[in-house]
Amino acid sequence: MNYRHAFHAGNFADVFKHAVLARLIEYLKRKEGAFRVVDTHAGIGRYDLQASEATRTGEWQGGIARIAEARFKPEVEALLAPYRSAVDALNPNGGLRFYPGSPLVTRHLLRKQDRLSALELHPEDAETLRTVFAGDHQARVIELDGWLAMGAHLPPKEKRGLVLIDPPFEQPGEFERMAEALATAHRRWPGGIYAFWYPIKDLAAVNRYRESLAGLGIPKILDTWLTIRGSTDEAGLIGSGMAIINPPFTLEQELATLLPALCQCLAEDKGASSGTRWLAGEHG
């Protein structure tokens, strides 16, 4: 309950997470039928990069600020365009004052028939998010522990969609909880797309988590990651990953084009890396 994403909004991990999220949503839009995105740890939606929290850490300067100034090859820009458009929509006068959290990235990309369920446990943050979406019939904000959504809110009535799980990792056992939640959710809705974001700090813990996912018996799990520096003895985030269950067939190739460009732009030393690997599935 003490975690505030405002200190980290727009950092390199957000860039990675939201760029991948945008690709998943764009794939869902290929079919006319409606879909739902369930965001289990939604936050406040919109972050002021000039507020004290953001200026105190300055993390966004090494993330979205670099991307905003960069120009990539046309094939990379095409893949990045939906994400860029979500950021630009919050800054209509140009510049970079506000950054969209995952609920606003999602909402910006939805069509009129699609829906968003945004869950947030913290009462003040949930109320802030309600204000952001006031009068918006396509977005529903629910003050609830996001882990409960893995049972009670699945499957959605649309029977198509995506579940984004992005816990703050402020409590011990989050890796274990994610694996357990996936097992529960997949039993209820085996056809859904799930995207489990995770931090890369303790490499041994990350490897154990990946092994636990691979052992669940779920047919298709694609793991993807981006680090901005090599592993060191220093504490702190060196990268982040996303385990994607039932990934779109286009995603692996898209990320092979997109992630190396992002990695080069965001890297802090020569140890930076990015990639994908099948944890389970016919390509594993």
Side-chain angles (χ1 to χ4, degrees):
M1 297 290 283
N2 295 321
Y3 177 83
R4 285 294 186 275
H5 191 67
F7 291 99
H8 314 290
N11 69 0
F12 76 89
D14 263 2
V15 170
F16 165 78
K17 173 175 57 182
H18 294 148
V20 176
L21 171 64
R23 297 315 312 162
L24 294 172
I25 294 173
E26 288 300 292
Y27 174 80
L28 286 167
K29 290 161 64 175
R30 290 187 173 195
K31 292 184 178 179
E32 183 61 28
F35 63 84
R36 182 175 296 268
V37 176
V38 179
D39 191 336
T40 64
H41 297 77
I44 64 174
R46 179 171 55 224
Y47 299 91
D48 186 349
L49 298 178
Q50 294 183 15
S52 60
E53 296 90 344
T55 57
R56 191 181 309 174
T57 64
E59 290 185 17
W60 66 277
Q61 295 283 2
I64 187 57
R66 292 190 185 184
I67 300 299
E69 295 175 358
R71 289 299 175 264
F72 302 101
K73 293 179 180 180
E75 58 269 27
V76 176
E77 286 292 349
L79 295 173
L80 202 57
Y83 169 56
R84 282 198 189 276
S85 70
V87 177
D88 292 344
L90 279 191
N91 299 279
N93 298 320
L96 195 56
R97 171 67 187 271
F98 297 101
Y99 185 80
S102 52
L104 281 186
V105 172
T106 297
R107 181 63 187 90
H108 175 74
L109 297 175
L110 296 185
R111 306 162 302 177
K112 63 180 181 180
Q113 65 266 43
D114 307 321
R115 297 293 184 268
L116 165 67
S117 293
L119 283 67
E120 174 54 48
L121 176 60
H122 195 286
E124 293 178 6
D125 289 358
E127 185 58 34
T128 298
L129 192 59
R130 286 195 189 96
T131 301
V132 170
F133 287 127
D136 188 340
H137 72 279
Q138 289 184 245
R140 181 187 180 196
V141 178
I142 307 166
E143 185 181 323
L144 182 70
D145 183 347
W147 294 115
L148 298 179
M150 306 302 281
H153 288 258
L154 298 179
K157 65 179 182 180
E158 293 83 1
K159 300 297 190 281
R160 294 183 65 229
L162 163 68
V163 183
L164 174 66
I165 303 92
D166 174 23
F169 278 83
E170 289 289 295
Q171 301 294 328
E174 292 286 54
F175 279 121
E176 292 79 6
R177 186 180 295 185
M178 286 202 299
E180 293 169 1
L182 173 56
T184 298
H186 192 264
R187 284 194 297 269
R188 292 183 61 89
W189 189 31
I193 299 173
Y194 300 86
F196 282 76
W197 180 90
Y198 60 88
I200 299 178
K201 294 182 181 180
D202 181 342
L203 296 182
V206 169
N207 287 332
R208 287 194 298 270
Y209 169 62
R210 290 167 172 166
E211 290 171 1
S212 70
L213 294 186
L216 290 177
I218 292 173
K220 292 185 179 181
I221 304 177
L222 181 67
D223 186 42
T224 182
W225 68 89
L226 185 151
T227 67
I228 58 171
R229 56 183 179 271
S231 179
T232 68
D233 294 332
E234 299 176 5
L237 196 67
I238 66 168
S240 65
M242 190 175 285
I244 302 165
I245 291 78
N246 296 326
F249 74 94
T250 57
L251 186 64
E252 185 178 17
Q253 186 56 52
E254 288 182 352
L255 296 183
T257 300
L258 178 60
L259 292 186
L262 294 182
C263 185
Q264 184 177 16
C265 181
L266 300 171
E268 293 186 355
D269 67 28
K270 294 181 179 180
S273 68
S274 64
T276 61
R277 186 182 72 158
W278 288 92
L279 300 180
E282 59 190 26
H283 303 293

